[in-house]
Amino acid sequence: MRRALVTGGTRGIGLAIVKKLVAEGYLVTATYSADEESAARAMECVPAAEFVRADVRDERAVEALFERFSSLDALVNNAGIDLYKQVQDTTAEDYARIMDTNMRGAFFCVKHAVKLMLDMGGAIVNIASVWGEHGGSCESVYSASKGAVIAFTKAVAKELAPAGICVNCVSPGVIDTKMNAHLSSEEKLALEGEIPLGRYGTPEEVASAVCFLLSARYITGQVLGVDGGFCL
Ligand code: NDP
């Protein structure tokens, strides 16, 4: 049975990816760092998947997580947090929290996954963001972290191609998850007005793009936008 690891798999986009991979026949392990309520709901909703508390910012926790695997076919670096603040108000702690989760966590997981994939090949998908390509006002550090994820993806795609490991990004636009729950209905309407397809994306639409890239054997180092035309 093919094995997959999805970081941040208890809610939103990650949970949709877990469901889709299970439906496609993968044995899935998913992680989270703190929210036990969402984890309990996810376990109830997808009993075939395994949910493990492991903070991707902590390399020891990531190492312990990878001890569960003797092989790995697919890694999805989805765990991520955002920050909506003007740059002059952003603290060093904010900066570290965002970078450590979004970039350092992806780096740790790739580093350990590659050791399991070197002999047999494999596929890695990192979840970036349209802001990582285009920059978001009041989301400077978040945008920088996702830009770093995109550069990291391209670099390791080149490095790992000879081993048959494909590494790509999915770059979502505005997706209807807890991450955007803080937006007021006026803000939501205004944002929808800027999206050519006229609505937020769904976690399932991002999950479909992730599964496509996990199955594509001649695509690597690419950034696939799932944004309803937001960036056109
Ligand atoms: P959610 O906040 O709904 O879910 C985030 C998931 O990541 C949760 O399972 C959370 O669990 C987990 N997580 C957070 N920090 C850590 C950590 N340190 N270690 C392990 N797991 C962690 O987010 P979304 O589903 O909206 O976002 C998923 C990804 O998509 C993120 O990378 C985000 O940046 C990206 N994205 C989202 C967009 C959107 O509009 N929603 C747009 C563009 C990109 P817990 O809280 O328990 O740690």
Side-chain angles (χ1 to χ4, degrees):
M1 201 177 208
R2 290 173 301 166
R3 293 226 60 181
L5 171 63
V6 180
T7 66
T10 52
R11 293 196 303 265
I13 293 169
L15 181 58
I17 296 168
V18 170
K19 285 184 192 164
K20 190 142 177 65
L21 288 176
V22 166
E24 292 197 356
Y26 280 90
L27 186 56
V28 181
T29 299
T31 67
Y32 64 103
S33 75
D35 176 3
E36 292 292 350
E37 250 178 57
S38 292
R41 268 199 304 272
M43 285 174 208
E44 228 176 83
C45 172
V46 200
E50 172 188 44
F51 292 88
V52 179
R53 186 167 180 159
D55 190 325
V56 293
R57 295 172 294 182
D58 174 358
E59 190 170 20
R60 286 220 179 131
V62 172
E63 259 167 11
L65 171 70
F66 275 86
E67 279 166 15
R68 295 168 173 268
F69 300 102
S70 56
S71 67
L72 189 69
D73 302 283
L75 166 67
V76 183
N77 280 309
N78 166 77
I81 53 171
D82 67 348
L83 176 75
Y84 193 80
K85 258 188 187 180
Q86 289 189 298
V87 68
Q88 67 271 27
D89 297 331
T90 302
T91 64
E93 289 73 26
D94 290 331
Y95 178 90
R97 203 165 44 84
I98 297 294
M99 285 298 191
D100 286 356
T101 307
N102 297 355
M103 179 57 231
R104 205 163 92 120
F107 158 64
F108 287 152
C109 291
V110 166
K111 176 178 161 182
H112 290 279
V114 164
K115 295 174 191 166
L116 293 169
M117 291 178 173
L118 276 176
D119 289 339
M120 304 292 289
I124 298 172
V125 173
N126 298 320
I127 306 299
S129 161
V130 291
W131 298 142
E133 299 169 273
H134 300 277
S137 171
C138 299
E139 296 192 74
S140 56
V141 176
Y142 177 75
S143 301
S145 73
K146 293 298 188 176
V149 166
I150 291 170
F152 177 64
T153 300
K154 292 182 180 182
V156 286
K158 275 190 190 164
E159 184 175 323
L160 299 174
I165 303 171
C166 295
V167 191
N168 291 288
C169 274
V170 166
S171 182
V174 190
I175 310 298
D176 198 5
T177 71
K178 187 176 174 188
M179 197 172 266
N180 292 312
H182 64 279
L183 294 172
S184 67
S185 38
E186 292 79 38
E187 286 169 327
K188 190 176 175 201
L189 263 178
L191 207 47
E192 280 173 345
E194 290 178 44
I195 302 170
L197 284 175
R199 62 170 177 83
Y200 283 15
T202 66
E204 291 71 26
E205 285 166 328
V206 180
S208 291
V210 169
C211 288
F212 162 69
L213 285 174
L214 289 177
S215 68
R217 305 312 305 153
Y218 200 62
I219 300 177
T220 197
Q222 301 303 306
V223 182
L224 176 55
V226 180
D227 63 3
F230 196 32
C231 289
L232 293 175

